[in-house]
Amino acid sequence: MTLFNPVQSHPLLVFGGPYSNAEATKAMLAEATRLAIPATNVLCSGDLVAYCASPQETINLIRQWDIAVVMGNCEESFGNDADDCGCGFEEGTSCDLLSAGWFNFSKPRISRDNKQWMKQLPRSISFHYAGFEFEAVHGGTEQINQFIYASDVEQISAQLADTHARIIIGGHGGIPFGKEVFGKSVFAKTAVNKAWLNAGVIGMPANDGTQDGWYMLISTLADAIEISWHRLTYDAQNTADTMSQSGLDTAYKTALLTGIWPSADVLPDTEKARSGIPLALAPLVIPLTSI
């Protein structure tokens, strides 16, 4: 577990899944600059390399930015020279079959130095901010490629109850959400309010019929924090054109432009039913004192 020491006087900026999308990564960096958020307060929940056509450039941008990065299943796979992405897709599903294309495209295009860098990334990052204890992971607290969505209330409650942290930041699923849970923790004598947060991803749409990526801001209030989710607009057409020019003319290129995933295999029924519906996430305020 690695410590992350954000400056308390600035908000936190959290995002996931650059997915080899250099245009989206540049847009995220520009947004951080616009918001005057220093690199010390930026956290990426992993999966730098995936569906798009600029794996090396995307990793280089993230490394030059010098932000905190949680190891995702893609970093683990490329870092260990694995034969697949380790995404956790069920064998034979559309997602599983599609993943082979971008993985085999990316593997020879990532430098040995970048693979070594990915290999040493932490699987979790713990930190304190505004009086709260956080733990950032990629998938679940025990399984790096576990898909967790807002409707997975039992999994969220169980994993929050089994950790010291008041707030878990997860990734991997590709759809932003925040879920607050009230209950008994194995580490506390009284019931506490905890939360599971997912910033969404910047490199692919959130299956909501728009081209936008998503990121998350965590800001301080008097004796509380406010979590807010924001759209990231960038030149999706340019990313799609780069994929075509690179010979990576896949269903994910279409997804960049339509905002609809090529398959909903990984989604629970609740999230499947919302495919193509633009997201609107209200801010979440969590008081420092347990209630």
Side-chain angles (χ1 to χ4, degrees), residues 40-199:
T40 56
N41 284 48
V42 181
L43 174 70
C44 175
S45 61
D47 281 354
L48 307 185
V49 174
Y51 312 108
C52 302
S54 303
Q56 179 78 353
E57 183 180 4
T58 300
I59 299 169
N60 288 344
L61 285 167
I62 294 292
R63 292 188 68 180
Q64 290 161 12
W65 194 357
D66 196 25
I67 60 174
V69 181
V70 177
M71 176 188 283
N73 53 276
C74 291
E75 285 77 37
E76 181 180 54
S77 291
F78 287 118
N80 289 293
D81 202 29
D83 294 327
D84 60 56
C85 65
C87 294
F89 301 138
E90 187 175 342
E91 188 174 356
T93 62
S94 296
C95 289
D96 177 52
L97 297 173
L98 286 168
S99 69
W102 64 257
F103 184 85
N104 292 329
F105 172 89
S106 301
K107 192 172 181 179
R109 289 171 170 83
I110 302 171
S111 69
R112 181 184 298 273
D113 180 60
N114 277 340
K115 288 177 180 177
Q116 287 299 313
W117 175 79
M118 288 191 286
K119 187 175 183 177
Q120 57 79 44
L121 289 171
R123 295 176 71 94
S124 68
I125 295 177
S126 64
F127 63 96
H128 287 84
Y129 181 75
F132 289 82
E133 184 176 0
F134 288 77
E135 182 179 0
V137 297
H138 179 66
T141 56
E142 299 295 331
Q143 182 182 331
I144 195 171
N145 64 356
Q146 183 177 8
F147 290 100
I148 294 179
Y149 293 97
S151 63
D152 294 322
V153 178
E154 288 187 10
Q155 275 292 337
I156 290 171
S157 298
Q159 294 195 37
L160 282 169
D162 199 33
T163 179
H164 284 281
R166 279 279 299 278
I167 298 174
I168 293 177
I169 295 173
H172 193 55
I175 298 178
F177 71 89
K179 182 69 70 173
E180 197 167 9
V181 173
F182 302 88
K184 191 69 176 295
S185 169
V186 295
F187 299 103
K189 294 180 180 179
T190 59
V192 294
N193 57 318
K194 291 190 166 191
W196 190 289
L197 308 175
N198 191 313

Side-chain angles (χ1 to χ4, degrees), residues 255-280:
L256 287 170
L257 304 178
T258 65
I260 303 294
W261 293 356
S263 173
D265 292 336
V266 301
L267 293 177
D269 290 341
T270 299
E271 280 74 16
K272 282 181 182 177
R274 295 174 183 161
S275 294
I277 301 173
L279 288 172

Side-chain angles (χ1 to χ4, degrees), residues 213-249:
W214 285 85
Y215 68 94
M216 182 172 72
L217 292 177
I218 303 175
S219 306
T220 59
L221 302 174
D223 298 320
I225 55 171
E226 180 180 72
I227 300 98
S228 57
W229 289 265
H230 305 267
R231 291 181 176 275
L232 180 70
T233 301
Y234 71 99
D235 192 343
Q237 183 64 61
N238 191 41
T239 297
D241 291 345
T242 300
M243 292 178 72
S244 293
Q245 293 160 9
S246 301
L248 197 62
D249 201 2

